Amino acid sequence: MQKTFLIATHNEKKKNELLRILSPLGVDVKTDKELNLTLTEAEENGETFYENALIKAQSGCKESGLPCVADDSGLMVDYLAGAPGVYSARFAGEHGNDKKNNEKLLKLLKDVPESERTARFVSVVCCVFPNGDIISARGECEGKIGYEEIGNGGFGYDPIFMVDGKSFGELSAEEKDKLSHRGKALLQLSEKLKDYMSL
Amino acid sequence: MQKTFLIATHNEKKKNELLRILSPLGVDVKTDKELNLTLTEAEENGETFYENALIKAQSGCKESGLPCVADDSGLMVDYLAGAPGVYSARFAGEHGNDKKNNEKLLKLLKDVPESERTARFVSVVCCVFPNGDIISARGECEGKIGYEEIGNGGFGYDPIFMVDGKSFGELSAEEKDKLSHRGKALLQLSEKLKDYMSL
């Protein structure tokens, strides 16, 4: 699998994760900067992770002429009927940030007992080819929402997402990639890409 | 437009609304009981209102051999990133009910100021024909979540959904149908059906 793939994301921390996970899998991934491109920010107005990942990958493929990989991901909290879901990044409003999102979620779940704090991180990754072909994969990671932010690693909801007594914010990059929704989705994607490219 | 349509829903109150709105629009609608059928309950495992409405209409059409109309609808609360959405009926769990759903939502929004209590009711209606054709329509109704249940009319979240200072639970059937998400979706559907049937 020699082909160069473009990664389409404007989130630097997510870009690093995508590069970190995909590179050792034999997928040659480049950012728009490395390719001297500036991608326009596609409007993520889909109702599902799949739709949003597809919007981003299609837009990146069209602008670059290269096969393009994009991820859409979020946190689904059972007590909130799957929210914040596709709105995870904007949960505390357009001018929010990770800290405000986490604070809002912790406040909403303030009186909710441990047994009802179940949640999952979901990642859908899509690769769109210039001929229009689409390869996608989905990864999930089950956990619980904690009671406070713990750890300085990761990003987004990582500090309040607990798996086996540890928050995602406490894990090393390697530990996180092994467990995480994005790690699982990208591993599956890379296997599908290998099959597809060897056709 | 002479053809008989089957309405697929297991919710008696929703069935009444569908019959009440569609009949005067010249659509000849029948329930499964009127047609001496017993439809199996289709599993609503879609991620969107459209997917769920389609699942129900396709299942009803397949079992009856008739064109089948189904609705999927729910409440999207902005503060909760669009939740409960497709999970509206099950918001307080599988053994919940309208009262428990309303109580849960009011509690979650307890300290949320009026300006951030915006919400919308959404209804997507689908009609599936035995040849596989699909006609769909979407209706929305903007409102705010109140602070307590008001009124004995309607069903679901109606008593806490406020439009122009009144809850949906306070409206007469005629007032509700004129404003409501389902009224708008069904009006649009009936117009599309008329065009489709006269082809």
Side-chain angles (χ1 to χ4, degrees):
Chain A
M1 192 158 51
Q2 299 296 330
K3 215 163 177 135
T4 296
F5 293 79
L6 169 68
I7 283 181
T9 176
H10 291 267
N11 178 328
E12 282 301 316
K13 289 188 174 173
K14 195 187 276 188
K15 194 177 283 183
N16 292 339
E17 267 198 29
L18 288 163
L19 287 172
R20 188 174 78 211
I21 302 172
L22 281 172
S23 300
L25 299 174
V27 182
D28 179 26
V29 278
K30 298 268 187 261
T31 64
D32 51 348
K33 268 184 208 154
E34 290 176 295
L35 295 165
N36 285 318
L37 291 166
T38 309
L39 299 180
T40 54
E41 199 146 351
E43 200 186 351
E44 300 174 33
N45 51 10
E47 282 187 75
T48 62
F49 297 118
Y50 179 81
E51 277 176 32
N52 280 333
L54 189 60
I55 289 168
K56 286 183 270 192
Q58 280 176 328
S59 166
C61 176
K62 199 175 160 194
E63 292 189 26
S64 67
L66 292 173
C68 179
V69 175
D71 143 288
D72 197 55
S73 48
L75 179 65
M76 302 188 74
V77 178
D78 289 326
Y79 190 80
L80 301 178
V86 291
Y87 299 98
S88 292
R90 295 163 277 170
F91 192 37
E94 291 298 328
H95 303 292
N97 53 36
D98 288 352
K99 188 147 197 71
K100 284 184 187 167
N101 288 337
N102 285 328
E103 282 168 1
K104 177 172 175 180
L105 184 54
L106 288 175
K107 195 174 164 219
L108 280 167
L109 299 189
K110 194 162 58 89
D111 304 321
V112 177
E114 170 110 25
S115 63
E116 294 180 48
R117 300 177 79 92
T118 51
R120 66 200 52 76
F121 267 132
V122 178
S123 163
V124 174
V125 285
C126 262
C127 182
V128 171
F129 292 83
N131 70 356
D133 285 0
I134 299 166
I135 310 271
S136 72
R138 181 184 177 100
E140 301 198 358
C141 179
E142 299 285 333
K144 283 190 175 180
I145 305 304
Y147 294 87
E148 57 180 335
E149 295 194 59
I150 303 174
N152 298 313
F155 60 99
Y157 296 92
D158 285 350
I160 63 170
F161 186 76
M162 310 294 294
V163 176
D164 294 333
K166 265 189 176 179
S167 89
F168 259 31
E170 292 180 282
L171 302 182
S172 69
E174 295 69 36
E175 287 174 312
K176 185 182 171 191
D177 294 347
K178 221 183 273 179
L179 279 176
S180 84
H181 51 310
R182 196 169 294 112
K184 289 176 191 166
L186 289 172
L187 180 60
Q188 201 193 110
L189 183 77
S190 73
E191 283 163 5
K192 287 188 178 181
L193 283 177
K194 277 177 205 161
D195 288 345
Y196 175 81
M197 303 293 280
S198 66
L199 278 182
Chain B
M1 190 160 49
Q2 298 296 332
K3 217 167 174 128
T4 297
F5 293 79
L6 169 69
I7 283 181
T9 177
H10 292 267
N11 179 326
E12 282 302 318
K13 290 188 174 173
K14 196 187 274 188
K15 195 177 283 183
N16 292 338
E17 268 197 30
L18 288 163
L19 286 172
R20 187 173 80 211
I21 302 172
L22 282 173
S23 300
L25 299 174
V27 183
D28 179 26
V29 278
K30 298 268 187 261
T31 64
D32 51 349
K33 269 185 207 154
E34 291 176 293
L35 295 165
N36 286 319
L37 291 167
T38 310
L39 299 179
T40 53
E41 199 146 349
E43 199 186 352
E44 301 175 33
N45 51 10
E47 283 187 77
T48 62
F49 297 117
Y50 179 80
E51 277 176 31
N52 279 332
L54 189 60
I55 288 168
K56 286 182 269 191
Q58 281 175 328
S59 166
C61 175
K62 199 175 160 193
E63 292 190 26
S64 68
L66 292 172
C68 179
V69 175
D71 143 287
D72 197 57
S73 48
L75 179 66
M76 302 188 75
V77 178
D78 289 326
Y79 191 80
L80 301 178
V86 291
Y87 299 98
S88 291
R90 297 162 275 170
F91 192 36
E94 292 297 329
H95 303 291
N97 54 35
D98 288 353
K99 186 143 198 73
K100 284 183 186 167
N101 288 338
N102 285 328
E103 283 169 0
K104 178 172 174 178
L105 184 55
L106 288 176
K107 196 174 163 218
L108 279 167
L109 299 189
K110 195 162 56 89
D111 302 322
V112 176
E114 170 110 24
S115 62
E116 294 180 48
R117 300 178 79 92
T118 51
R120 68 202 49 80
F121 267 132
V122 178
S123 164
V124 174
V125 286
C126 264
C127 182
V128 171
F129 291 83
N131 69 357
D133 284 0
I134 300 166
I135 310 271
S136 72
R138 182 185 177 100
E140 302 198 359
C141 178
E142 300 284 334
K144 283 190 176 180
I145 304 304
Y147 294 87
E148 57 180 336
E149 295 193 59
I150 303 174
N152 298 311
F155 60 99
Y157 296 93
D158 285 351
I160 62 170
F161 187 77
M162 311 295 293
V163 177
D164 294 334
K166 266 189 176 179
S167 90
F168 259 29
E170 292 181 281
L171 303 182
S172 69
E174 295 69 36
E175 286 173 314
K176 185 183 171 190
D177 294 346
K178 219 182 274 180
L179 279 176
S180 85
H181 52 311
R182 197 170 293 113
K184 288 176 192 166
L186 289 172
L187 180 61
Q188 201 193 109
L189 183 76
S190 73
E191 282 164 6
K192 286 188 179 182
L193 284 177
K194 276 177 206 162
D195 288 344
Y196 175 81
M197 305 292 281
S198 67
L199 277 182

